[in-house]
Amino acid sequence: MTLLDADIAFRYPGGGAGIECAWQDPIDDPRVTVFLGASGSGKTTILRCLAGLERPDRGHVRLGDRTWFDAGRGIHLPPDQRDLGVLFQDYALFPHMTVQKNIAFGGRGMPRDAAAQRVAELLDAFGLRGLEHRLPRQLSGGQQQRVALARAVFRQPKLLLLDEPLSALDRATGDEVREELRTFIRTLAIPAYIVSHDRVDALTLADRTVLIDEGRIVQAGSTKEVFDAPKTPAAARLVGIDTILLGRIASVDNGLARVMVGTQEVRAAAPAEAGHEAALCIRAEDVTIALHDTEDLSTVNRWRAVVRTETSEGPFVRVGLDCGFRLSALVTRDAWKRLALAPGATAWAMVKATTIQAMARN
Amino acid sequence: MDWVAVGLTVKLAALTTLILGVVGLPLAYWLATTKRKWRPLVDAAVAVPLLLPPTVLGFYLLMATGPNSAIGRIYGRMFDGAIPFSFAGILAASVLYNLPFAVRPFASGFAAVDRRLLEAARCLGASAPRTFMTIVLPLSWPAVLAGLALAFAHTVGEFGVVLMVGGNIPGVTRTLALAIYDDVQALDYAGANEASALLVLFAVSVLAVTYSLQRRVLPL
């Protein structure tokens, strides 16, 4: 089993939280891991430390029996001696070289025939046939990314690092290219680390998701596990929980807590004893909007609410509610029309206690 | 026209430019890419001839290379001669004095190359020298050419430092600029005029060419 064993501590020259994270990852199966974090969370720095473009202050990075970095032993291999492929944020294609030359750049020392064959193979695999004599500036964003990816995998690296692979593209192209990228990464069968600030990347590309906040790993696990059950408010925010309420557990009865959020009461599975602080995560799609309160429902959380905002989101409408706390709801456009509500109107917001994820805060 | 002086001037400028190419390119690359704290010191040392009167550099060079100095003794043992008042002396002086004219355009040209391209090359297995040859030079050659042209032209026009270190020995250290000075002293205005016109024409052409290569890399 080949293990990537990383323990990285890095201080920025200008101060700040710096990076402090450690993880171990078997990289025999070609898994895709997304490092998800807001911009400025340090995720790109972590990637650069892996690539050897930054030198951490402390710690080590090992791949199998090879040591790439060891602060204690003064080892720091330059990027060209680490066996990895890197896809840069805006691709960093060499502007003075054709597509063909860009792709073959890593092929120095290879026999000419073998290199030419490998280029041909990659041109086909990445759908770049016919573009081999173009210069990078004559390519579309998606084509540039394919060239960059072909170039990065030319030498069949052990590990692929992708820095915000889709952020250089506009939204529509991004969606299209993401789909392509997914296919390519699966076909390449090289384990990949992708750094991204976009949770869609994690949801569509990643087997595993690592959440990064202020240079620390806040949670790591299978993508499903991380998105289903974020363990901290920071993690919840990263995976896109729409409403995070902070409150105090007033009482616990048979495992069900009454949490006071301001003067409102919210029921959820108890994460801790009474008296503790709790964070409650509510997804917008789990919120029901009703015109009247009713006892005929099993739903225990029913709050009187004032509609504050409405925003169109494709077939849905995102509704900002004020229940004494801010609550975001996502309903279909048809339902919204049927209720005939508008900002300023009064309604009821309902959330099943079972859908609320409660976590203890220290 | 003093063709011996012209020949000597061209020889001095060509050799100076050659040496500045060999020494200046790596130095400039280091300056453009290093993150070391003492880089500004090296920057300052390279640029200081721009501010110093040539007599100061000439004076220190004479002191450092005189027959009784360490360098002078070693040189004397190896080549059976002295550095001051020799061609080797004015060559050394020219190289030092012209360092900023070559290194600064080089360095600003290198600094203008997107750093991520260098990082990408390194991540694709290229060593630092190979990255320099395949990425940096092809993307900054106008700056390199500008630096070499400026160094050449400035050496051709150099007066003070050559006079200080080389004296004024016909065929050995008397360059065209010195010949003009001699002509004027001897009231040979026709000779001075000829040589001066040649230098003006030369300087304007070099500057025109370098400016057309790439305006932004020039330190002037």
Side-chain angles (χ1 to χ4, degrees), chain A residues 48 53-54 78-80 84 86 88 90 92-97 105-106 108 151-152 155, chain B residues 35 114 116-128 130-131 134-136 138-139:
Chain A
R48 290 175 61 82
L53 295 169
E54 302 287 348
D80 46 308
L84 37 78
V86 182
F88 287 83
D90 24 29
L93 293 177
F94 305 131
H96 58 302
M97 293 184 192
F105 185 86
R108 195 179 136 94
R151 184 179 72 172
R155 296 190 306 159
Chain B
K35 291 176 188 166
D114 190 344
R116 270 161 322 181
L117 298 180
L118 313 187
E119 293 182 342
R122 296 303 304 275
C123 290
L124 289 164
S127 61
R130 184 172 173 242
T131 302
T134 55
I135 309 297
V136 180
L139 289 175

Short mmCIF file of all heavy atoms in Angstrom, two decimals, chain A residues 48 53-54 78-80 84 86 88 90 92-97 105-106 108 151-152 155, chain B residues 35 114 116-128 130-131 134-136 138-139:
data_model
loop_
_atom_site.label_atom_id
_atom_site.label_comp_id
_atom_site.label_asym_id
_atom_site.label_seq_id
_atom_site.Cartn_x
_atom_site.Cartn_y
_atom_site.Cartn_z
N ARG A 48 0.32 23.70 -2.70
CA ARG A 48 1.66 24.16 -3.11
C ARG A 48 2.74 23.53 -2.25
O ARG A 48 3.84 23.28 -2.72
CB ARG A 48 1.73 25.69 -3.05
CG ARG A 48 0.89 26.38 -4.12
CD ARG A 48 0.89 27.88 -3.97
NE ARG A 48 2.22 28.46 -4.07
CZ ARG A 48 2.83 28.72 -5.22
NH1 ARG A 48 2.21 28.49 -6.35
NH2 ARG A 48 4.05 29.21 -5.24
N LEU A 53 6.26 23.73 -4.15
CA LEU A 53 6.38 25.14 -4.57
C LEU A 53 6.49 26.06 -3.36
O LEU A 53 6.90 27.19 -3.48
CB LEU A 53 5.17 25.54 -5.42
CG LEU A 53 5.07 24.79 -6.76
CD1 LEU A 53 3.73 25.03 -7.42
CD2 LEU A 53 6.20 25.23 -7.68
N GLU A 54 6.07 25.56 -2.21
CA GLU A 54 6.29 26.28 -0.96
C GLU A 54 7.00 25.33 -0.02
O GLU A 54 6.82 24.12 -0.11
CB GLU A 54 4.97 26.72 -0.29
CG GLU A 54 4.08 27.59 -1.14
CD GLU A 54 4.60 29.01 -1.30
OE1 GLU A 54 5.55 29.40 -0.57
OE2 GLU A 54 4.07 29.73 -2.16
N PRO A 78 12.84 19.66 -4.76
CA PRO A 78 12.20 20.63 -5.67
C PRO A 78 11.08 19.93 -6.44
O PRO A 78 11.06 18.70 -6.53
CB PRO A 78 13.34 21.07 -6.59
CG PRO A 78 14.33 19.97 -6.53
CD PRO A 78 14.22 19.36 -5.16
N PRO A 79 10.15 20.71 -7.01
CA PRO A 79 8.98 20.12 -7.67
C PRO A 79 9.35 19.11 -8.75
O PRO A 79 8.64 18.12 -8.93
CB PRO A 79 8.27 21.32 -8.31
CG PRO A 79 8.77 22.50 -7.59
CD PRO A 79 10.12 22.18 -7.04
N ASP A 80 10.47 19.35 -9.46
CA ASP A 80 10.80 18.46 -10.57
C ASP A 80 11.26 17.08 -10.09
O ASP A 80 11.43 16.18 -10.90
CB ASP A 80 11.85 19.09 -11.50
CG ASP A 80 13.00 19.73 -10.76
OD1 ASP A 80 12.74 20.54 -9.86
OD2 ASP A 80 14.16 19.41 -11.06
N LEU A 84 4.70 14.11 -9.51
CA LEU A 84 3.29 14.48 -9.56
C LEU A 84 2.99 15.42 -10.71
O LEU A 84 3.85 16.04 -11.28
CB LEU A 84 2.82 15.08 -8.24
CG LEU A 84 3.72 15.99 -7.42
CD1 LEU A 84 3.75 17.35 -8.03
CD2 LEU A 84 3.19 16.05 -6.02
N VAL A 86 0.59 18.65 -11.92
CA VAL A 86 -0.13 19.77 -11.34
C VAL A 86 -0.92 20.49 -12.42
O VAL A 86 -0.40 20.77 -13.50
CB VAL A 86 0.82 20.77 -10.66
CG1 VAL A 86 0.03 21.90 -10.02
CG2 VAL A 86 1.68 20.06 -9.63
N PHE A 88 -2.66 23.99 -12.92
CA PHE A 88 -2.72 25.28 -12.27
C PHE A 88 -4.05 25.97 -12.54
O PHE A 88 -4.74 25.66 -13.52
CB PHE A 88 -1.57 26.17 -12.75
CG PHE A 88 -0.25 25.75 -12.19
CD1 PHE A 88 0.47 24.73 -12.78
CD2 PHE A 88 0.25 26.36 -11.06
CE1 PHE A 88 1.68 24.33 -12.25
CE2 PHE A 88 1.46 25.96 -10.53
CZ PHE A 88 2.17 24.95 -11.13
N ASP A 90 -5.11 28.93 -13.67
CA ASP A 90 -5.44 29.33 -15.04
C ASP A 90 -4.55 28.62 -16.04
O ASP A 90 -4.20 29.20 -17.07
CB ASP A 90 -5.53 30.85 -15.25
CG ASP A 90 -4.73 31.59 -14.23
OD1 ASP A 90 -3.74 31.01 -13.77
OD2 ASP A 90 -5.08 32.73 -13.89
N ALA A 92 -1.62 27.91 -16.84
CA ALA A 92 -0.19 28.17 -17.03
C ALA A 92 0.36 27.44 -18.25
O ALA A 92 1.43 26.85 -18.21
CB ALA A 92 0.60 27.78 -15.77
N LEU A 93 -0.37 27.50 -19.34
CA LEU A 93 0.17 26.93 -20.59
C LEU A 93 1.28 27.84 -21.09
O LEU A 93 1.22 29.05 -20.93
CB LEU A 93 -0.93 26.83 -21.64
CG LEU A 93 -2.04 25.83 -21.34
CD1 LEU A 93 -3.11 25.88 -22.42
CD2 LEU A 93 -1.49 24.42 -21.20
N PHE A 94 2.31 27.23 -21.69
CA PHE A 94 3.42 28.02 -22.18
C PHE A 94 2.97 28.74 -23.46
O PHE A 94 2.68 28.10 -24.46
CB PHE A 94 4.63 27.13 -22.44
CG PHE A 94 5.03 26.33 -21.23
CD1 PHE A 94 5.27 24.97 -21.29
CD2 PHE A 94 5.16 26.96 -19.99
CE1 PHE A 94 5.62 24.25 -20.17
CE2 PHE A 94 5.51 26.25 -18.86
CZ PHE A 94 5.73 24.89 -18.95
N PRO A 95 2.91 30.08 -23.41
CA PRO A 95 2.26 30.82 -24.51
C PRO A 95 3.04 30.75 -25.82
O PRO A 95 2.48 30.99 -26.87
CB PRO A 95 2.22 32.26 -23.98
CG PRO A 95 3.27 32.33 -22.93
CD PRO A 95 3.37 30.97 -22.34
N HIS A 96 4.33 30.42 -25.73
CA HIS A 96 5.16 30.43 -26.95
C HIS A 96 5.28 29.03 -27.54
O HIS A 96 6.04 28.82 -28.47
CB HIS A 96 6.53 31.00 -26.64
CG HIS A 96 7.27 30.24 -25.56
ND1 HIS A 96 6.77 30.08 -24.30
CD2 HIS A 96 8.45 29.61 -25.56
CE1 HIS A 96 7.62 29.39 -23.56
NE2 HIS A 96 8.66 29.08 -24.31
N MET A 97 4.55 28.06 -26.98
CA MET A 97 4.66 26.70 -27.50
C MET A 97 3.29 26.23 -28.01
O MET A 97 2.26 26.58 -27.45
CB MET A 97 5.09 25.74 -26.39
CG MET A 97 6.49 25.98 -25.90
SD MET A 97 6.92 24.72 -24.70
CE MET A 97 8.43 25.42 -24.04
N PHE A 105 6.15 18.69 -23.04
CA PHE A 105 7.22 19.37 -22.30
C PHE A 105 7.87 18.47 -21.25
O PHE A 105 9.07 18.54 -21.03
CB PHE A 105 6.66 20.63 -21.62
CG PHE A 105 7.72 21.45 -20.94
CD1 PHE A 105 8.44 22.39 -21.66
CD2 PHE A 105 8.02 21.27 -19.60
CE1 PHE A 105 9.43 23.14 -21.06
CE2 PHE A 105 9.02 22.02 -18.99
CZ PHE A 105 9.72 22.95 -19.72
N GLY A 106 7.07 17.63 -20.62
CA GLY A 106 7.62 16.77 -19.57
C GLY A 106 8.38 15.57 -20.12
O GLY A 106 8.89 14.75 -19.36
N ARG A 108 11.22 15.17 -21.65
CA ARG A 108 12.65 15.24 -21.89
C ARG A 108 13.32 13.96 -21.40
O ARG A 108 13.00 13.44 -20.34
CB ARG A 108 13.23 16.42 -21.11
CG ARG A 108 14.59 16.81 -21.55
CD ARG A 108 15.01 18.00 -20.71
NE ARG A 108 16.38 17.84 -20.26
CZ ARG A 108 17.40 18.37 -20.93
NH1 ARG A 108 17.20 19.04 -22.02
NH2 ARG A 108 18.63 18.21 -20.47
N ARG A 151 -0.92 17.69 -20.48
CA ARG A 151 0.48 18.00 -20.18
C ARG A 151 0.86 17.48 -18.79
O ARG A 151 1.93 16.93 -18.59
CB ARG A 151 0.66 19.52 -20.24
CG ARG A 151 2.07 19.98 -20.03
CD ARG A 151 2.17 21.50 -20.14
NE ARG A 151 1.59 22.16 -18.99
CZ ARG A 151 1.68 23.48 -18.75
NH1 ARG A 151 2.30 24.25 -19.62
NH2 ARG A 151 1.14 24.01 -17.68
N ALA A 152 -0.07 17.64 -17.84
CA ALA A 152 0.22 17.24 -16.47
C ALA A 152 0.34 15.72 -16.32
O ALA A 152 1.07 15.23 -15.47
CB ALA A 152 -0.86 17.78 -15.53
N ARG A 155 3.75 12.38 -18.06
CA ARG A 155 4.75 11.47 -17.48
C ARG A 155 4.13 10.43 -16.54
O ARG A 155 4.82 9.81 -15.76
CB ARG A 155 5.79 12.28 -16.70
CG ARG A 155 6.58 13.21 -17.61
CD ARG A 155 7.73 13.81 -16.87
NE ARG A 155 7.28 14.45 -15.62
CZ ARG A 155 8.07 14.71 -14.60
NH1 ARG A 155 9.34 14.36 -14.62
NH2 ARG A 155 7.60 15.32 -13.53
N LYS B 35 13.82 34.96 -3.19
CA LYS B 35 12.99 35.50 -2.11
C LYS B 35 13.87 35.88 -0.92
O LYS B 35 13.37 36.18 0.15
CB LYS B 35 11.98 34.44 -1.67
CG LYS B 35 10.89 34.15 -2.69
CD LYS B 35 10.00 33.03 -2.18
CE LYS B 35 9.04 32.57 -3.25
NZ LYS B 35 8.42 31.28 -2.89
N ASP B 114 5.49 35.42 -16.32
CA ASP B 114 4.55 34.91 -15.33
C ASP B 114 5.19 33.79 -14.50
O ASP B 114 5.62 32.77 -15.02
CB ASP B 114 3.32 34.36 -16.06
CG ASP B 114 2.19 34.02 -15.11
OD1 ASP B 114 2.45 33.93 -13.89
OD2 ASP B 114 1.07 33.86 -15.59
N ARG B 116 3.96 31.63 -12.66
CA ARG B 116 3.30 30.32 -12.69
C ARG B 116 3.80 29.45 -13.84
O ARG B 116 3.77 28.24 -13.76
CB ARG B 116 1.79 30.49 -12.77
CG ARG B 116 1.17 30.54 -11.38
CD ARG B 116 -0.15 31.13 -11.49
NE ARG B 116 -0.05 32.20 -12.49
CZ ARG B 116 -1.05 32.97 -12.85
NH1 ARG B 116 -2.21 32.79 -12.33
NH2 ARG B 116 -0.87 33.91 -13.75
N LEU B 117 4.28 30.12 -14.91
CA LEU B 117 4.85 29.34 -16.01
C LEU B 117 6.12 28.64 -15.54
O LEU B 117 6.37 27.49 -15.89
CB LEU B 117 5.17 30.25 -17.20
CG LEU B 117 3.99 30.98 -17.83
CD1 LEU B 117 4.45 31.83 -18.99
CD2 LEU B 117 2.95 29.97 -18.30
N LEU B 118 6.90 29.34 -14.72
CA LEU B 118 8.12 28.73 -14.19
C LEU B 118 7.75 27.57 -13.26
O LEU B 118 8.36 26.50 -13.30
CB LEU B 118 8.96 29.75 -13.43
CG LEU B 118 9.18 31.11 -14.11
CD1 LEU B 118 10.18 31.95 -13.33
CD2 LEU B 118 9.69 30.90 -15.52
N GLU B 119 6.74 27.82 -12.43
CA GLU B 119 6.32 26.76 -11.51
C GLU B 119 5.80 25.56 -12.28
O GLU B 119 6.08 24.41 -11.94
CB GLU B 119 5.24 27.30 -10.56
CG GLU B 119 5.78 28.36 -9.62
CD GLU B 119 4.73 28.87 -8.65
OE1 GLU B 119 3.53 28.67 -8.91
OE2 GLU B 119 5.12 29.47 -7.63
N ALA B 120 5.03 25.84 -13.34
CA ALA B 120 4.49 24.75 -14.15
C ALA B 120 5.63 23.94 -14.75
O ALA B 120 5.61 22.70 -14.73
CB ALA B 120 3.59 25.29 -15.25
N ALA B 121 6.64 24.63 -15.26
CA ALA B 121 7.78 23.92 -15.86
C ALA B 121 8.48 23.04 -14.83
O ALA B 121 8.80 21.88 -15.10
CB ALA B 121 8.76 24.92 -16.46
N ARG B 122 8.67 23.60 -13.61
CA ARG B 122 9.33 22.83 -12.57
C ARG B 122 8.50 21.60 -12.21
O ARG B 122 9.01 20.50 -12.03
CB ARG B 122 9.56 23.67 -11.30
CG ARG B 122 10.49 24.85 -11.49
CD ARG B 122 11.85 24.47 -12.00
NE ARG B 122 12.55 23.49 -11.20
CZ ARG B 122 13.29 23.76 -10.12
NH1 ARG B 122 13.43 25.01 -9.73
NH2 ARG B 122 13.92 22.81 -9.46
N CYS B 123 7.17 21.78 -12.14
CA CYS B 123 6.30 20.66 -11.79
C CYS B 123 6.26 19.62 -12.91
O CYS B 123 5.86 18.48 -12.69
CB CYS B 123 4.89 21.14 -11.49
SG CYS B 123 4.78 22.06 -9.96
N LEU B 124 6.66 20.00 -14.11
CA LEU B 124 6.68 19.05 -15.23
C LEU B 124 8.05 18.40 -15.35
O LEU B 124 8.37 17.79 -16.37
CB LEU B 124 6.31 19.75 -16.53
CG LEU B 124 4.84 20.15 -16.63
CD1 LEU B 124 4.62 21.15 -17.73
CD2 LEU B 124 3.98 18.92 -16.85
N GLY B 125 8.88 18.57 -14.33
CA GLY B 125 10.14 17.85 -14.30
C GLY B 125 11.34 18.61 -14.82
O GLY B 125 12.43 18.06 -14.90
N ALA B 126 11.16 19.89 -15.17
CA ALA B 126 12.30 20.65 -15.69
C ALA B 126 13.12 21.22 -14.53
O ALA B 126 12.57 21.75 -13.58
CB ALA B 126 11.81 21.77 -16.59
N SER B 127 14.44 21.09 -14.65
CA SER B 127 15.32 21.68 -13.64
C SER B 127 15.29 23.19 -13.80
O SER B 127 14.76 23.72 -14.77
CB SER B 127 16.74 21.17 -13.87
OG SER B 127 17.17 21.57 -15.16
N ALA B 128 15.89 23.91 -12.83
CA ALA B 128 15.91 25.38 -12.91
C ALA B 128 16.63 25.86 -14.18
O ALA B 128 16.11 26.73 -14.88
CB ALA B 128 16.54 25.97 -11.66
N ARG B 130 17.00 24.35 -17.03
CA ARG B 130 16.21 24.04 -18.22
C ARG B 130 14.99 24.96 -18.30
O ARG B 130 14.60 25.39 -19.38
CB ARG B 130 15.77 22.57 -18.18
CG ARG B 130 15.04 22.21 -19.45
CD ARG B 130 14.71 20.76 -19.62
NE ARG B 130 13.88 20.64 -20.81
CZ ARG B 130 12.63 20.19 -20.80
NH1 ARG B 130 12.09 19.76 -19.70
NH2 ARG B 130 11.95 20.16 -21.92
N THR B 131 14.39 25.23 -17.16
CA THR B 131 13.27 26.17 -17.14
C THR B 131 13.71 27.52 -17.70
O THR B 131 13.00 28.16 -18.47
CB THR B 131 12.75 26.34 -15.70
OG1 THR B 131 12.37 25.07 -15.21
CG2 THR B 131 11.56 27.28 -15.65
N THR B 134 14.19 27.12 -21.59
CA THR B 134 13.03 26.81 -22.44
C THR B 134 11.85 27.75 -22.22
O THR B 134 11.00 27.89 -23.10
CB THR B 134 12.54 25.37 -22.19
OG1 THR B 134 12.28 25.21 -20.80
CG2 THR B 134 13.55 24.36 -22.64
N ILE B 135 11.77 28.36 -21.05
CA ILE B 135 10.61 29.21 -20.77
C ILE B 135 11.03 30.68 -20.64
O ILE B 135 10.49 31.56 -21.32
CB ILE B 135 9.90 28.77 -19.46
CG1 ILE B 135 9.60 27.28 -19.47
CG2 ILE B 135 8.64 29.59 -19.25
CD1 ILE B 135 8.65 26.83 -20.54
N VAL B 136 11.99 30.94 -19.76
CA VAL B 136 12.31 32.33 -19.43
C VAL B 136 12.93 33.06 -20.62
O VAL B 136 12.44 34.11 -21.04
CB VAL B 136 13.24 32.40 -18.21
CG1 VAL B 136 13.57 33.85 -17.89
CG2 VAL B 136 12.60 31.73 -17.02
N PRO B 138 13.05 32.39 -23.95
CA PRO B 138 12.19 32.61 -25.13
C PRO B 138 11.12 33.67 -24.88
O PRO B 138 10.66 34.31 -25.82
CB PRO B 138 11.53 31.25 -25.36
CG PRO B 138 12.41 30.26 -24.69
CD PRO B 138 13.05 30.96 -23.54
N LEU B 139 10.72 33.86 -23.62
CA LEU B 139 9.66 34.83 -23.34
C LEU B 139 10.22 36.21 -22.99
O LEU B 139 9.46 37.16 -22.83
CB LEU B 139 8.77 34.33 -22.21
CG LEU B 139 7.88 33.14 -22.57
CD1 LEU B 139 7.13 32.63 -21.34
CD2 LEU B 139 6.89 33.52 -23.66
#
